[in-house]
Amino acid sequence: MEVKNIYEGFISVDDALSFKRNDVRENYKEFVNSAAVQLMSLLDFDKHFVRADGTKVYDEDGNEYIDFLGGYGALNVGHNNKEILAEIKKVLGLPNILQASIYNFAGALAKNLALIAPGDLKRTFFANSGAEAVEGALKLAKIASGKSKIIYCQNSFHGKSFGALSVTGREKYQKPFKPLMPETYPIPFGDDKALEDILKMGDMAAFILEPIQGEGGIIVPPKGYLRRVRELCDRYGVYLIIDEIQTGFGRTGYMFASEEEGVVADIMCFAKSIGGGYIPVGGYIAREDIWKRAYGSIDKAFLHTSTFGGNTIACAAGIATLKFILENELHKKAREMGDYFLRRLMDLKAKYPVIKDVRGKGLMIGIEFEEPKGILNALTAGKLSEVSKEYFGSLVAGKLMNDHRIITAYTLNNPNVIRLEPPLTVTYEELDKVINALENIFEKNSSFFSIGIDSGKQVLKSIFKR
């Protein structure tokens, strides 16, 4: 048997830095996810970006793009924020992962979170991602309450790990992995009567919801809904878990979206932007009494842990990120700029019937398009029937990317919605560029068919050039 030389073809960091677009594509296709490469390449979304700064990214040909996707809300402070990087560099050389000790920076970041979090939220558990934050929150609610049932919302998104997926409200993601975690109950989002009806069943540990549904299509609940949810959870003795993973840290015009109605969760999940765009950081913050009931004794102290959670570099990034957001009042800036952006987008809606709705808060905005009917099938012999029927938002996102160098994407649960979530350091000039680009697209392509034809040409070009 021939002995494999493991060093043959090994790629160093320097090698990877020298890669061109095709090198990136081939490695990803062969060793990561070939279907993702195929999907991304259809609308020329597999560009090779080599530099990023603030709201801007640059491809290998030197073209400049404005990032209005913002890492799905993970880049509130922008790409490669220099002030945050300078703070991270201060802790390099310190023990980063050392389990036989207590982390200095984890305690410091936890105190800062307690200072800025709503109400009496105090005890933090650190993980690495939003899905892990949700997993921890669900476990906390179950052990602290002694109950087993969890309520969640239809059309929600809380992650794709097993527990988080069990409370994520889209059948497409759940069905291949059933049976999931038992005793989870979906209800319509924004419907407090449906919530009360299910609470009457009893034995409910918690109700988990997003203050604004992100992947659901940027769905804003009716005014007063969160307050009514809080009242009902109190009345029936059920913990309220609020998922602020995408809405937190200034995104919606408040430090946390639930603050707009003065609502305090029992357990609040966070992640995404707290890492400053550098380091994965996630976790939950809970009331003191809930945490003590769950993990407050020596025999229960390590019932739920995370190897990388609370590591020194991650927590330094979190401290620096919070400091930057607060000092620059990014939450207030998001509110003011979001109001301006929404007004201008509503003007486009009034002008172009292809826009079904515009909604959001702060700089978390969705544009929903009317659903077209099979506009690209003739061009691609059925190859893009799903894209044309369900993914019209991706066609608009493709034109924004390829014609105007503005990066956006559709929301996972509603692909006819494109999301606009730029870094909170965005300028009014950049907001206007998006408005002008959309106007240009709809002026030149006044119907579904013409947008589909134009996008289909780009698809065919992408297919044949490969």
Side-chain angles (χ1 to χ4, degrees):
M1 181 182 294
E2 184 179 352
V3 178
K4 183 178 180 180
N5 180 358
I6 62 171
Y7 296 107
E8 185 177 347
F10 189 87
I11 297 169
S12 69
V13 171
D14 288 335
D15 293 334
L17 284 170
S18 69
F19 279 174
K20 298 298 182 185
R21 181 178 183 177
N22 194 58
D23 301 316
V24 177
R25 183 188 300 122
E26 290 306 310
N27 276 326
Y28 206 94
K29 187 191 326 184
E30 182 70 16
F31 300 105
V32 184
N33 189 332
S34 56
V37 173
Q38 183 181 19
L39 179 62
M40 296 288 279
S41 66
L42 285 175
L43 289 172
D44 217 18
F45 265 52
D46 59 340
K47 292 177 170 60
H48 183 205
F49 294 106
V50 298
R51 187 164 66 89
D53 182 34
T55 58
K56 304 289 184 16
V57 294
Y58 303 84
D59 67 21
E60 64 185 13
D61 298 319
N63 297 311
E64 179 183 276
Y65 298 74
I66 306 174
D67 184 1
F68 265 72
L69 180 56
Y72 304 124
L75 291 167
N76 289 9
V77 297
H79 291 272
N80 293 318
N81 187 296
K82 295 179 178 60
E83 292 184 38
I84 292 169
L85 181 59
E87 297 292 292
I88 293 173
K89 286 180 177 179
K90 292 177 182 178
V91 305
L92 299 181
L94 296 179
N96 189 46
I97 300 171
L98 188 61
Q99 306 296 3
S101 183
I102 297 171
Y103 288 124
N104 174 17
F105 284 83
L109 177 55
K111 179 178 180 179
N112 290 346
L113 285 167
L115 290 172
I116 69 167
D120 55 354
L121 293 172
K122 180 180 179 182
R123 296 278 184 169
T124 292
F125 173 84
F126 289 111
N128 309 282
S129 68
E132 287 181 77
V134 170
E135 296 284 345
L138 295 174
K139 288 177 69 176
L140 175 65
K142 285 195 169 193
I143 189 174
S145 68
K147 303 173 186 176
S148 58
K149 297 174 183 176
I150 305 290
I151 308 166
Y152 68 99
C153 287
Q154 296 164 1
N155 200 42
S156 63
F157 187 89
H158 297 290
K160 293 178 181 173
S161 54
F162 198 75
L165 182 59
S166 300
V167 294
T168 285
R170 193 179 186 200
E171 180 70 7
K172 175 180 177 178
Y173 299 131
Q174 289 188 336
K175 187 176 180 180
F177 304 102
K178 288 184 175 180
L180 294 169
M181 187 174 75
E183 299 189 293
T184 58
Y185 301 88
I187 62 170
F189 181 63
D191 187 341
D192 54 293
K193 184 180 183 302
L195 174 61
E196 183 164 22
D197 288 344
I198 202 164
L199 286 172
K200 290 176 181 177
M201 289 173 53
D203 194 36
M204 297 294 172
F207 175 38
I208 183 169
L209 84 163
E210 304 153 276
I212 296 173
Q213 288 191 331
E215 302 303 337
I218 318 296
I219 306 298
V220 180
K223 189 174 181 179
Y225 172 67
L226 290 181
R227 282 199 303 273
R228 293 191 292 275
V229 164
R230 177 72 274 179
E231 291 165 2
L232 287 169
C233 287
D234 288 340
R235 186 185 309 167
Y236 288 90
V238 171
Y239 293 144
L240 173 58
I241 304 172
I242 296 184
D243 179 343
E244 293 266 11
I245 289 163
Q246 191 167 169
T247 54
F249 305 112
R251 171 58 53 186
T252 68
Y254 296 83
M255 187 57 72
F256 299 99
S258 54
E259 291 182 299
E260 184 176 7
E261 293 195 358
V263 170
V264 180
D266 298 304
I267 307 166
M268 184 176 76
C269 300
F270 61 86
K272 289 192 183 289
S273 66
I274 192 175
Y278 287 105
I279 309 291
V281 184
Y284 65 73
I285 183 168
R287 290 194 346 238
E288 171 96 352
D289 60 308
I290 297 173
W291 183 86
K292 282 190 172 181
R293 199 171 295 128
Y295 305 121
S297 60
I298 290 176
D299 63 316
K300 294 181 178 179
F302 296 120
L303 282 182
H304 186 68
T305 57
S306 170
T307 300
F308 286 89
N311 73 75
T312 299
I313 294 174
C315 290
I319 292 168
T321 299
L322 293 183
K323 181 172 179 283
F324 186 88
I325 290 171
L326 292 168
E327 287 184 347
N328 292 278
E329 297 188 316
L330 293 188
H331 51 304
K332 294 181 181 178
K333 183 179 179 184
R335 193 184 316 167
E336 294 166 2
M337 300 188 86
D339 288 345
Y340 170 81
F341 202 22
L342 278 166
R343 284 197 304 271
R344 296 216 58 194
L345 289 168
M346 290 301 292
D347 290 341
L348 291 183
K349 177 181 179 292
K351 190 173 180 181
Y352 300 106
V354 71
I355 300 177
K356 181 179 181 179
D357 196 16
V358 174
R359 52 185 179 259
K361 293 276 186 179
L363 289 172
M364 183 178 178
I365 297 172
I367 305 175
E368 183 170 10
F369 300 100
E370 296 286 357
E371 185 176 314
K373 303 295 181 184
I375 52 181
L376 296 183
N377 284 354
L379 284 174
T380 60
K383 189 176 181 70
L384 287 186
S385 61
E386 185 179 3
V387 173
S388 65
K389 182 180 179 183
E390 187 182 356
Y391 292 78
F392 184 74
S394 69
L395 305 184
V396 178
K399 293 195 67 59
L400 285 169
M401 167 83 88
N402 296 308
D403 295 355
H404 300 277
R405 294 178 184 154
I406 295 168
I407 301 171
T408 60
Y410 57 79
T411 57
L412 287 178
N413 286 2
N414 188 342
N416 278 324
V417 176
I418 61 169
R419 67 208 307 156
L420 299 170
E421 296 184 60
L424 306 186
T425 55
V426 71
T427 65
Y428 283 101
E429 180 184 8
E430 289 168 332
L431 299 181
D432 287 340
K433 283 184 179 179
V434 174
I435 296 296
N436 294 337
L438 288 168
E439 182 116 40
N440 179 269
I441 290 168
F442 296 126
E443 279 292 330
K444 290 182 176 179
N445 304 273
S446 58
S447 68
F448 295 116
F449 185 76
S450 57
I451 292 175
I453 292 291
D454 204 39
S455 298
K457 291 175 183 176
Q458 179 63 51
V459 169
L460 291 173
K461 180 181 176 184
S462 298
I463 291 169
F464 288 120
K465 78 179 181 181
R466 289 166 176 73

